[in-house]
Amino acid sequence: MNHDTLYLIKPHFVEQGKTYYCPDCAEMTGLREYYPALKQHIDVRWVDFARPRPELVALLGEDNQSCPVLVLSAMPPGLPARLKVKSANGHAFVTGAREIGEYLAHVRGIGLPH
């Protein structure tokens, strides 16, 4: 079974002497806990906050290294036009916590973000 891959920024990173976490990445981590069945379909890769993010640059190009990003194993049929699925280097992907949540609601049957 092919899995989608969710790229998230590692928590507890330091920038300009302060420690941070990415709120959108934390939302995605929580979504996987709300809906544990998602773990059967989505692999998670943690990347450093600092750019460039080599793994994402190699996969999607320098312009598409923002997180969170869900890289799709295959493009599902019948997606509503409102879903913002992008493509680069032959890979389909969805960026942003809310957009990923809407995609997963359609494809995996979870609740929609409110």
Side-chain angles (χ1 to χ4, degrees), residues 55-76:
E55 189 173 356
L56 283 173
V57 170
L59 195 63
L60 303 175
E62 191 171 344
D63 291 340
N64 298 304
Q65 57 181 311
S66 294
C67 289
V69 59
L70 181 67
V71 179
L72 311 181
S73 62
M75 184 65 139

Side-chain angles (χ1 to χ4, degrees), residues 31 35 38 100-101 104-112:
L31 188 65
Y35 296 101
L38 291 175
I100 293 169
L104 293 173
H106 180 76
V107 174
R108 299 291 174 205
I110 66 170
L112 284 164

Side-chain angles (χ1 to χ4, degrees), residues 11-43:
H12 210 77
F13 60 88
V14 177
E15 182 181 47
Q16 298 178 353
K18 293 183 181 180
T19 304
Y20 296 94
Y21 71 92
C22 169
D24 281 0
C25 294
E27 182 175 333
M28 290 291 91
T29 301
L31 188 65
R32 290 179 75 242
E33 293 303 317
Y34 265 41
Y35 296 101
L38 291 175
K39 295 176 185 180
Q40 299 172 29
H41 304 283
I42 299 172
D43 295 327

Side-chain angles (χ1 to χ4, degrees), residues 9-10 13-15 47-54 56-57 65:
I9 295 173
K10 295 175 186 174
F13 60 88
V14 177
E15 182 181 47
V47 297
D48 291 327
F49 172 74
R51 289 180 184 226
R53 299 179 180 134
L56 283 173
V57 170
Q65 57 181 311

